[in-house]
Amino acid sequence: MHPLLPSLVAAGLYAGATAYQGLRLARREIPRKGLLALLVAIALFFHGASLFLQLHAVAGLALDFFNAASLIAYSAILLTLLACARIPVENLLLLFLPLGCITVLFAQFLPSGTVQPIDEEPGILAHILLSILAYGMLTIAVFQSLLLLLQDHQLKNKHPSGLIKNFPPLQTMESLLFGFLWAGWALLSASLISGWLFFEDLFAQHLVHKTLLACLAWVVFAVLLWGRHQLGWRGHKAIRWTLAGFCLLMLAYFGSKLVREFILHI
């Protein structure tokens, strides 16, 4: 089966779910949670089918730049949808669904760079899975921090939009942010540990930049969580540290992949 059809269906469903949620919020109405969850779940099914077909290669896992972006978007949407069953984070979908639509189309239609298929040994696959889940969870944390920043700004200026009026209280939004950060940091820790265990040399030429930047991101998130616990960090300071750690993490993964696949062709 060719991945074109599931990619187009997934993109269409993501776009439809975004339009539905956006229009309801613009009218200051709460979207029907069941209908939104159903649309997103079906979109995830087709997105997953597309990823399975694109990632599977004869020599191993074809995790090129755009497939990786699509996979991380998929994991972020899936984790958010699962979280919606217990905590009020439906508004995050309004940001993630367009991201899913864009990345699934990019993975389908844009040319991939030069990439060596990844050996599908269980240890390596476990490391990749933990890394993708960590990136997905920390992506959720970053988008949550941006929504928190928007909510704080509009409440201070006393001009809350229809979107903001459907948010939980500011304190709840902040608690959710740190919950996502703790989960993402734990997954990132497990990812780094699995890398040390299953890769022969994490400081080999093609891995050294990724390893160093990922470790720096780990330190940034660790300091942020320590600052929250010991010093009560919150608000803009917490958001700045979150964005700094995320930028390091994305530079570690996508920066190195961009250079290797599209510039150095290795």
Side-chain angles (χ1 to χ4, degrees):
M1 182 179 177
H2 196 275
L4 176 61
L5 180 59
S7 295
L8 292 176
V9 173
L13 287 168
Y14 282 141
T18 303
Y20 167 71
Q21 188 178 19
L23 287 172
R24 292 294 294 251
L25 291 174
R27 296 171 182 169
R28 302 179 183 270
E29 299 173 351
I30 299 176
R32 292 174 56 191
K33 190 172 181 178
L35 176 58
L36 182 62
L38 179 62
L39 288 172
V40 176
I42 298 173
L44 283 170
F45 173 81
F46 284 100
H47 191 172
S50 172
L51 279 169
F52 177 81
L53 295 169
Q54 290 167 333
L55 291 172
H56 184 71
V58 176
L61 202 64
L63 196 61
D64 61 41
F65 183 89
F66 294 113
N67 281 344
S70 180
L71 184 56
I72 290 174
Y74 177 89
S75 69
I77 296 169
L78 177 61
L79 290 169
T80 305
L81 183 63
L82 293 175
C84 285
R86 301 193 63 180
I87 54 180
V89 291
E90 292 84 1
N91 289 310
L92 282 171
L93 291 173
L94 191 60
L95 302 177
F96 283 128
L97 296 179
L99 184 66
C101 179
I102 292 169
T103 56
V104 73
L105 291 176
F106 278 8
Q108 177 60 47
F109 293 110
L110 292 186
S112 61
T114 304
V115 60
Q116 295 294 328
I118 299 171
D119 189 4
E120 297 185 17
E121 294 181 4
I124 302 299
L125 291 179
H127 169 72
I128 292 171
L129 176 61
L130 287 169
S131 299
I132 295 298
L133 288 174
Y135 294 145
M137 186 61 72
L138 290 170
T139 300
I140 294 174
V142 166
F143 278 78
Q144 176 74 6
S145 72
L146 294 176
L147 288 179
L148 181 62
L149 185 64
L150 177 64
Q151 183 181 24
D152 181 63
H153 174 76
Q154 293 202 4
L155 289 175
K156 284 182 178 178
N157 287 277
K158 299 180 180 179
H159 293 295
S161 64
L163 175 64
I164 297 300
K165 287 187 175 180
N166 286 294
F167 280 12
L170 200 63
Q171 186 175 2
T172 302
M173 290 283 286
E174 196 169 75
S175 297
L176 290 174
L177 168 62
F178 280 94
F180 291 136
L181 284 170
W182 273 110
W185 184 75
L187 287 166
L188 181 59
S189 302
S191 169
L192 291 172
I193 292 170
S194 65
W196 284 102
L197 290 175
F198 298 117
F199 281 90
E200 292 183 4
D201 185 7
L202 274 179
F203 291 96
Q205 184 177 3
H206 66 290
L207 291 175
V208 61
H209 296 93
K210 183 185 296 185
T211 302
L212 288 175
L213 287 169
C215 289
L216 282 174
W218 184 91
V219 171
V220 168
F221 286 120
V223 171
L224 170 58
L225 293 170
W226 175 86
R228 169 69 170 183
H229 181 69
Q230 296 293 329
L231 305 175
W233 287 0
R234 54 181 303 176
H236 287 209
K237 178 175 285 190
I239 292 169
R240 285 195 296 269
W241 279 82
T242 300
L243 293 175
F246 182 77
C247 287
L248 284 170
L249 199 59
M250 291 298 103
L251 187 60
Y253 190 70
F254 287 109
S256 61
K257 288 186 77 65
L258 181 65
V259 171
R260 291 183 60 209
E261 294 181 23
F262 293 98
I263 299 176
L264 300 180
H265 300 288
I266 58 175

